[in-house]
Amino acid sequence: MTRKITVLCVDDSALIRQVMAEIINSQPDLQVIGVAADPLVARDMIKALNPDVLTLDVEMPRMDGLEFLEKLMRLRPMPVVMVSSLTERGSEIAMRALELGAVDFVTKPRLGMRDGLLQYADEIGEKIRAAACARVRAVPPRGAALAPAVATAGIEPLRKPFLSTEKLIVIGASTGGTEAIREVLQPLPADSPAVLIAQHMPPGFTRSFAQRLDSLCRIQVKEAEHGERVLPGHAYIAPGGWHLALGRSGANYVAQLNQDEAVNRHRPSVDVLFDSVARNAGVNAVGVLLTGMGRDGAAGLARMRQAGAYTFAQDEASCIVFGMPREAIALGAVNEVRPLHEMAGAVLGHLSTFGERVSRV
């Protein structure tokens, strides 16, 4: 018999503890081995029960969830899925939790708590499974993740950056992707080619994500808006609940948003973005597939490569979850596999040599 993934649920609400336990125990491969009403009780239970995954509320008595998460990831790193309120403050807290090392988060509904959470049962199960196989690392020193963008050693600047403003960078990511995307975007120069990003994230959270990145990067980062022109020096993030695609208006690239059916169970879907780039940018695009559970983006990256784009995938050792890059590599969709810390330099290096090749034609 296959061993079940064990979970400890930490929440000050008895109702939430009960519903989370009901949801998790209903999954054949998951088991709640304990519940705790606050982090201090949880600390002792972690030592005694050694769970595979922790689900952690944010607002709790005696010690809030972020403070506990920071201590936990410094002293005993383990997979954590945060349980966050679907509010503006909740979205900011969720982003901070991901910085501190949480693998992912689920949202508490504002109304009808029990029924609302039950509707998320499959998603909660999927996130716990992803967390269980995640590579968890110790948290950096306090404040390090929020440092402003600085010059990065080994990053080669674009020598001929805009022989063509048609060049594009497109990025897809899921579990673990928020910090991976930050690490790719921070070294990019202010005159970087435009960047389009599909990160699996629910509605209400991508704005905080974009604002945080905008404060850390040289390029301008924002949520994409339907019909806006895609410009160099900018990164456009697919809003939660919307597909982002690349379109054309005359000679210009434009962002297109739609709420068509989910693809690979996701909206935004990486495949939707990559397919549109294959059609409308071809050889002018560079595709980057980062950490994530599942296979979204693998087929789209293959179609980008077939259309002449150059493609990268994050390597296994630096991924939180290697699922999406693994699928793309297996499909033959990837020109280069790179560790995360080399990705920005590799992308810029390819674009620089691309510019030189164009200038010789």
Side-chain angles (χ1 to χ4, degrees), residues 77-101:
M78 65 177 296
V80 177
V81 176
M82 300 300 291
V83 181
S84 175
S85 299
L86 183 54
T87 63
E88 183 173 352
R89 180 171 180 273
S91 66
E92 292 167 358
I93 289 170
M95 292 303 102
R96 178 60 179 151
L98 295 173
E99 292 170 14
L100 291 172

Side-chain angles (χ1 to χ4, degrees), residues 188-206:
L188 298 183
D191 60 352
S192 165
V195 184
L196 298 177
I197 300 166
Q199 160 72 44
H200 297 162
M201 193 172 283
F205 289 84
T206 41

